[in-house]
């Protein structure tokens, strides 16, 4: 009888849990899934409906349709000690533009810049090509407003800190 365990299958689930974007102000010093009761109160309270029932029924954030307005309704709705003080930074997330960006391919597009209230996305004019995008990480709030308007789905929201 073979008692070896397929470690790659076990890591699959760990990797997915780490990639999940939790609601803003979620504490990082705890294992979210150990304390969250999956009551859906934060999902119901979210004014832009970006919080959804993710893997295992735990709340996750999806920026494909809207952004986080940092309204704090998810924090107020939760009865568990899952959240930090809303006066603190909401999370350690930032926008990242990948190589499929239309502007990087020479096509004039600034949809992400137009959607960014924080003005964290700038475009530098360049001779002979479309203006090139840059994200000012100090200004980016990770709200996700730039994600859904991008016609080439070139923007993702990721952790500022390596996992």
């Amino acid at each position: 009888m073979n008692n070896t365990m397929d470690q790659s299958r076990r890591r699959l689930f760990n990797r997915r849990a780490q990639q999940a974007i939790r609601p803003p102000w979620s504490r990082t010093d705890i294992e979210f899934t150990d304390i969250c009761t999956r009551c859906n109160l934060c999902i119901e309270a979210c004014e832009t409906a970006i919080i959804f029932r993710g893997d295992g029924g735990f709340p996750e954030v999806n920026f494909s349709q809207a952004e986080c307005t940092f309204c704090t309704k998810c924090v107020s709705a939760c009865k568990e000690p899952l959240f930090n003080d809303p006066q603190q930074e909401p999370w350690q997330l930032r926008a990242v533009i990948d190589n499929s960006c239309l502007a990087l391919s020479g096509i004039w597009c600034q949809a992400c810049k137009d959607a960014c209230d924080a003005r964290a996305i700038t475009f530098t004019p360049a001779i002979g090509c479309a203006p090139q995008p840059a994200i000012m990480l100090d200004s980016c709030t990770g709200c996700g407003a730039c994600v859904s308007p991008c016609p080439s789905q070139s923007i993702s929201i990721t952790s500022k800190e390596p996992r």
Side-chain angles (χ1 to χ4, degrees):
M1 180 172 177
N2 187 353
N3 287 333
T4 61
M5 186 181 312
D6 185 351
Q7 292 295 322
S8 65
R9 294 184 98 185
R10 291 191 78 159
R11 284 190 297 274
L12 171 71
F13 296 108
N14 288 339
R15 184 169 51 251
R16 177 65 187 112
Q18 289 178 352
Q19 291 173 346
I21 297 176
R22 300 293 178 205
W25 296 287
S26 294
R27 290 178 44 198
T28 57
D29 59 333
I30 59 166
E31 181 59 41
F32 189 90
T33 56
D34 287 347
I35 296 177
C36 178
T37 62
R38 298 176 275 189
C39 67
N40 292 337
L41 291 175
C42 61
I43 295 170
E44 295 164 8
C46 182
E47 71 179 18
T48 57
I50 62 166
I51 302 175
F52 70 102
R53 196 172 176 89
D55 284 351
F58 296 100
E60 294 183 29
V61 173
N62 180 342
F63 298 110
S64 65
Q65 300 298 313
E67 69 204 71
C68 182
T69 60
F70 305 114
C71 67
T72 72
K73 290 180 181 177
C74 57
V75 176
S76 300
C78 186
K79 296 177 181 6
E80 302 302 323
L82 285 171
F83 294 96
N84 290 316
D85 179 356
Q87 299 302 314
Q88 297 178 0
E89 184 178 20
W91 46 30
Q92 292 292 308
L93 298 176
R94 64 178 169 91
V96 175
I97 301 173
D98 69 30
N99 291 334
S100 65
C101 173
L102 294 177
L104 297 176
S105 298
I107 299 169
W108 191 291
C109 178
Q110 295 186 5
C112 56
K113 176 184 174 187
D114 296 341
C116 183
D117 287 340
R119 300 291 172 233
I121 302 174
T122 61
F123 279 80
T124 305
I127 297 174
C129 64
Q132 301 297 290
I135 297 176
M136 297 183 301
L137 298 179
D138 290 343
S139 300
C140 182
T141 63
C143 72
C146 55
V147 174
S148 66
C150 179
S152 59
Q153 299 161 347
S154 301
I155 302 177
S156 59
I157 304 297
T158 62
S159 176
K160 286 183 183 178
E161 298 175 4
R163 293 185 192 251

